[in-house]
Amino acid sequence: MSEVFDVLVDQPFFAGMTDGQIRTVAEAATLVSFDEGGVIFVEGGPASDTYLILEGDIALTLRTQEHGSKIVQTLHRGDFVGWSWMYPPYRWSFDANVQTDVQAVQFDGPKLKKISLADSELGYALMRRFTEVIINRMQALRIQLLDVYSTFR
Amino acid sequence: MRPAPCRIVSVERDLPDTYTLEIEPPGSDWRFLPGQYTMLYAFGIGEVPISISGDPDDTTTIVQTIRAVGAVTDALVAKQPGDFVGVRGPFGTSWDTKAAEGRDVLIIAGGVGLAPLRPVVLDVLSHRDRYENVTLMYGARSPGDLLFADQLQQWRGRFDLEVLITVDQAQHTWRGPVGVVTSLIGRSSFDPDDAVAYVCGPEVMMRFTIQELERRGFGDDRLYVSMERNMKCGIGLCGHCQLGRYFVCKDGPVMTCAQMAGSCWIREV
């Protein structure tokens, strides 16, 4: 667990949290790796964990009837992958495909929720950080939806 | 100012709706600065401002990249070698590369916005020892919409230039990043307290890029944008391009965010 702590304490996401808080979060985490070409989760699959990418690239893809399988976003070092563990129905909305070899920290969602309930200050610290990431990602996605580079005649 | 009739040397199709014309200059003393534009006249059709996209050290031809979005640009891209177009200019302000000497340089382009930035990339690379870290960040709609794709590949092969590319959408076979161009900013190393950024693309892309750079500590006197709005005369007379207290055609198109602050990023303007 101290290995996980040593990794987490250097991550910008956890900046400003105490060592004690990070140590508690580390109890819900393990270091994992995925090979290029692999699949971390698929659309519709049960969602219980989230992943913090340490190295490598992941593509979130969506299968469509008309356009085939499309990448909606790629995620990279420092990004979290997966929010569907937070709320019901706990089902993934996209496929997560490994573009290049990935080293990541896997967080057990139910454990994270349990420690957040037990320590509300820690829970708030985590939720505030997750919320900021989600908001930034949503803003970026809105700009993508605008299709700003297309031609208007 | 009368358009000078200039012969087209070549027409190259970069993308389905984007072409690069090489045009004989009106005189042997023709020069331009990175960021400037000309008014290109399709005789009998009309005149539009077009960015100069070539190397400022090579003025044997005027290189201009045109996106076909209306009657005049349709007519311009339909020209053949040997045809004539009218040229006025060059006009406008330039990317201030002197301000970037000794500093990190960020060149951030969106879509066809890479065209007016290509001269500054070429200029910086030809005087590479004057700058610290140089990064080109480029966002396009899809992999098939990457402008100057061959040149981007060449630039990626250099050890003294970081090239980061992203697209808004891609098929699952694409191996690169997918996301907005602002997502590239956090992946580059630069000193926000002492870097210079040149940004060009759709205005909404420029707004969010500037927000992200300012969030990271960029001062607005070191942030340059290229504003392109309703330029008609090119010489600050007709007033069509007025933006706050500036005329984009002559006080721009390249402006600092310090100039833009307070009057130009206003919704009604």
Side-chain angles (χ1 to χ4, degrees):
Chain A
M1 204 238 322
S2 77
E3 193 186 358
V4 178
F5 169 80
D6 290 338
V7 166
L8 294 184
V9 85
D10 282 336
Q11 294 301 310
F13 179 84
F14 295 101
M17 289 175 65
T18 66
D19 281 2
Q21 287 175 326
I22 297 173
R23 226 176 283 280
T24 306
V25 172
E27 288 171 13
T30 46
L31 297 176
V32 294
S33 61
F34 302 94
D35 292 334
E36 179 181 325
V39 179
I40 299 177
F41 53 76
V42 294
E43 181 189 348
S48 60
D49 301 335
T50 185
Y51 304 83
L52 172 62
I53 302 174
L54 302 175
E55 289 296 333
D57 310 292
I58 288 171
L60 296 182
T61 63
L62 198 54
R63 281 164 293 137
T64 69
Q65 195 68 16
E66 302 82 4
H67 307 292
S69 197
K70 295 204 86 163
I71 301 175
V72 295
Q73 189 173 21
T74 53
L75 299 169
H76 313 279
R77 182 172 52 200
D79 290 334
F80 269 89
V81 184
W83 307 111
S84 302
W85 60 277
M86 283 185 168
Y87 298 104
Y90 306 115
R91 294 277 165 192
W92 295 118
S93 305
F94 305 98
D95 295 352
N97 300 303
V98 184
Q99 274 191 329
T100 60
D101 290 349
V102 163
Q103 308 288 323
V105 181
Q106 180 176 0
F107 294 91
D108 183 314
K111 274 191 188 171
L112 267 187
K113 287 183 201 171
K114 200 172 173 187
I115 60 181
S116 297
L117 278 170
D119 180 345
S120 56
E121 207 171 298
L122 170 57
Y124 175 72
L126 285 174
M127 197 48 62
R128 194 175 66 75
R129 285 162 175 77
F130 281 133
T131 310
E132 186 179 0
V133 171
I134 292 170
I135 287 172
N136 288 338
R137 213 171 280 182
M138 193 174 64
Q139 306 276 46
L141 247 129
R142 281 173 169 166
I143 300 171
Q144 265 175 281
L145 281 173
L146 280 179
D147 199 15
V148 295
Y149 303 128
S150 61
T151 307
F152 293 96
R153 297 186 71 101
Chain B
M1 285 182 68
R2 203 177 289 177
C6 298
R7 188 193 307 269
I8 292 175
V9 174
S10 70
V11 179
E12 188 174 324
R13 191 186 198 199
D14 302 302
L15 297 173
D17 62 354
T18 307
Y19 297 72
T20 294
L21 271 56
E22 288 196 39
I23 306 166
E24 274 180 10
S28 58
D29 59 344
W30 198 88
R31 296 283 181 273
F32 78 97
L33 296 171
Q36 289 189 305
Y37 66 98
T38 64
M39 295 299 293
L40 278 191
Y41 186 34
F43 291 105
I45 310 289
E47 190 183 50
V48 284
I50 299 291
S51 302
I52 305 167
S53 59
D55 186 345
D57 285 342
D58 178 7
T59 50
T60 53
T61 58
I62 308 172
V63 181
Q64 310 222 229
T65 300
I66 304 169
R67 192 178 197 188
V69 293
V72 179
T73 47
D74 283 350
L76 288 171
V77 304
K79 297 289 180 193
Q80 299 296 314
D83 289 346
F84 281 84
V85 291
V87 176
R88 292 194 296 123
F91 295 123
T93 52
S94 62
W95 303 106
D96 186 0
T97 49
K98 202 96 182 90
E101 287 181 7
R103 292 170 148 159
D104 294 337
V105 182
L106 300 185
I107 302 166
I108 306 174
V112 75
L114 182 57
L117 280 170
R118 183 165 70 167
V120 82
V121 175
L122 295 169
D123 191 46
V124 164
L125 291 180
S126 70
H127 304 99
R128 185 61 186 90
D129 56 323
R130 296 180 187 173
Y131 310 97
E132 296 295 313
N133 295 327
V134 179
T135 306
L136 169 64
M137 298 179 203
Y138 179 44
R141 188 167 188 257
S142 71
D145 294 304
L146 291 169
L147 187 57
F148 312 137
D150 291 343
Q151 196 159 35
L152 287 170
Q153 291 272 40
Q154 280 175 21
W155 287 340
R156 287 189 88 163
R158 292 181 68 121
F159 296 114
D160 57 356
L161 173 66
E162 184 180 27
V163 177
L164 302 173
I165 292 171
T166 187
V167 295
D168 278 358
Q169 50 181 282
Q171 292 299 120
H172 69 285
T173 46
W174 168 250
R175 306 303 294 168
V178 174
V180 291
V181 72
T182 47
S183 64
L184 299 176
I185 293 171
R187 302 176 70 191
S188 171
S189 36
F190 56 89
D191 179 1
D193 293 325
D194 199 34
V196 170
Y198 307 118
V199 184
C200 186
E203 268 191 39
V204 64
M205 166 252 166
M206 289 198 290
R207 272 209 317 275
F208 280 91
T209 301
I210 286 156
Q211 264 180 34
E212 182 62 23
L213 290 172
E214 285 178 342
R215 197 178 72 79
R216 290 174 186 271
F218 252 88
D220 60 8
D221 58 330
R222 290 179 282 113
L223 274 171
Y224 295 82
V225 295
S226 182
M227 299 301 293
E228 293 171 16
R229 288 199 186 184
N230 298 327
M231 296 188 286
K232 298 288 183 190
C233 69
I235 54 176
L237 276 185
C238 71
H240 279 84
C241 65
Q242 186 174 5
L243 190 65
R245 63 179 185 278
Y246 300 110
F247 291 112
V248 175
C249 68
K250 72 173 182 65
D251 302 313
V254 177
M255 303 172 76
T256 64
C257 287
Q259 288 174 288
M260 299 289 293
S263 60
C264 299
W265 291 127
I266 299 171
R267 183 199 302 262
E268 290 79 9
V269 174

